[in-house]
Structure formats: structure tokens, C-alpha cells
Amino acid sequence: MSFLTGNQESLVYDLVSLWSMAKHEIIPCERCGTPIECKANSYTKCQCSVVQLDLNEVQYISELHDGCLCAKCLFELQQEYRDAVAS
């Protein structure tokens, strides 16, 4: 049984949604400028976690960039590294 009216429940839901969104910062990708939601405190939920990099790829990318990168740029840099190693 809820003690809130429909409008109050909706308001509470909206406030909780806003609060949870505020936990993560929207920042530009350091390489291309695309806005990305940085979830460094929750890495497994971050968009960049879809890119599986090995240690050498991480080192290569970290030598080029200090900040957060979008998944598209990470994939491109991963391929750039792999192409350089293969040639």
C-alpha cells in the first residue's frame, strides 16, 4: 500500500531518476568531442567497457590520451595499434 498519490509517486520517481543521472558526468570524448557519460565509479556500466583492450593496447592509447574516450574512438585506436603492429 502506497502513502503517496499518483502525482507524488511520479514526482518521487522523477527526482530519483534525476539524482541517479547526476551521479555520472557528461564529458566530451578527448579525441572526437562526442558527449559521453563518464561512469568511472561504475566502470562495468560505462560505455567504454564494451571495448576489450589488452595491456599493450591500453599502454598505446594512454600514451596518446589522458582523458576519457568514447567506445568508437577506443575501437579505432585499438585497430590503429593492431595495424601498426601487423605491418
Side-chain angles (χ1 to χ4, degrees), residues 5-76:
T5 66
N7 287 343
Q8 290 171 326
E9 283 183 25
S10 178
L11 178 60
V12 168
Y13 177 79
D14 290 343
L15 289 173
V16 168
S17 294
L18 286 171
W19 177 79
S20 64
M21 287 189 325
K23 288 197 281 186
H24 306 294
E25 185 179 6
I26 304 296
I27 60 171
C29 169
E30 184 180 296
R31 184 169 177 251
C32 72
T34 299
I36 55 176
E37 186 177 13
C38 180
K39 295 183 179 179
N41 294 343
S42 186
Y43 171 74
T44 58
K45 295 177 183 172
C46 193
Q47 55 86 33
C48 66
S49 69
V50 300
V51 184
Q52 302 299 309
L53 302 171
D54 68 27
L55 186 59
N56 292 327
E57 293 165 346
V58 170
Q59 183 175 355
Y60 172 77
I61 293 170
S62 68
E63 289 173 2
L64 299 172
H65 300 280
D66 293 325
C68 289
L69 300 170
C70 68
K72 179 180 179 284
C73 284
L74 285 174
F75 278 123
E76 290 173 357

